[in-house]
């Protein structure tokens, strides 16, 4: 499966952004979808994941209550709605896909190219 993320940009603290990740090349609904983020010098950090039918969702504690992951299987797209953004949310955000539910980078075989989110204070 190929993944293409978009929607990043520059936003002030307290603002919102919505990231999108479009999939192709495989049956989208067979994959667990996740978002990770990475800042320079740090490992890629789990943000959120959503099950195949959207019935199970998990968030990192750092984004719980502010971010919402969703998916549209008909459009082969997963979203990350980010509200109440903080400067510490600044990172490159990656979407990822795999057949199994996991929260670690090593467990995902398919990755998008990343989209930069910058939150100014």
């Amino acid at each position: 499966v190929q993944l293409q993320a978009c929607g990043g940009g520059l936003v002030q603290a307290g603002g919102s952004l919505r990231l999108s990740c479009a999939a192709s090349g495989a049956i989208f609904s067979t994959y667990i979808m996740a978002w990770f983020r990475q800042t320079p010098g740090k490992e890629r950090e789990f943000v959120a994941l959503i099950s195949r039918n959207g019935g199970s969702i998990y968030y990192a504690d750092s984004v719980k209550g502010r971010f919402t992951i969703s998916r549209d299987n008909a459009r082969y797209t997963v979203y990350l709605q980010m509200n109440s953004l903080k400067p510490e949310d600044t990172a490159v955000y990656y979407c990822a896909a795999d057949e199994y539910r996991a929260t670690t980078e090593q467990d995902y075989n398919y990755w998008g190219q990343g989209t930069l989110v910058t939150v100014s204070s």
Side-chain angles (χ1 to χ4, degrees), residues 15-78:
S16 299
L17 278 176
R18 188 175 83 152
L19 307 183
S20 299
C21 175
S24 62
I27 301 175
F28 181 68
S29 60
T30 64
Y31 290 92
I32 305 292
M33 298 300 299
W35 288 95
F36 286 75
R37 65 186 182 186
Q38 188 171 27
T39 54
K42 293 189 177 181
E43 293 186 353
R44 208 164 285 188
E45 173 192 26
F46 169 76
V47 174
L49 72 81
I50 187 166
S51 62
R52 295 175 183 82
N53 64 0
S56 295
I57 290 174
Y58 299 89
Y59 295 102
D61 288 342
S62 58
V63 306
K64 205 171 292 183
R66 301 187 297 121
F67 290 12
T68 302
I69 188 172
S70 61
R71 68 188 294 162
D72 185 338
N73 285 346
R75 297 180 186 273
Y76 276 41
T77 303
V78 62

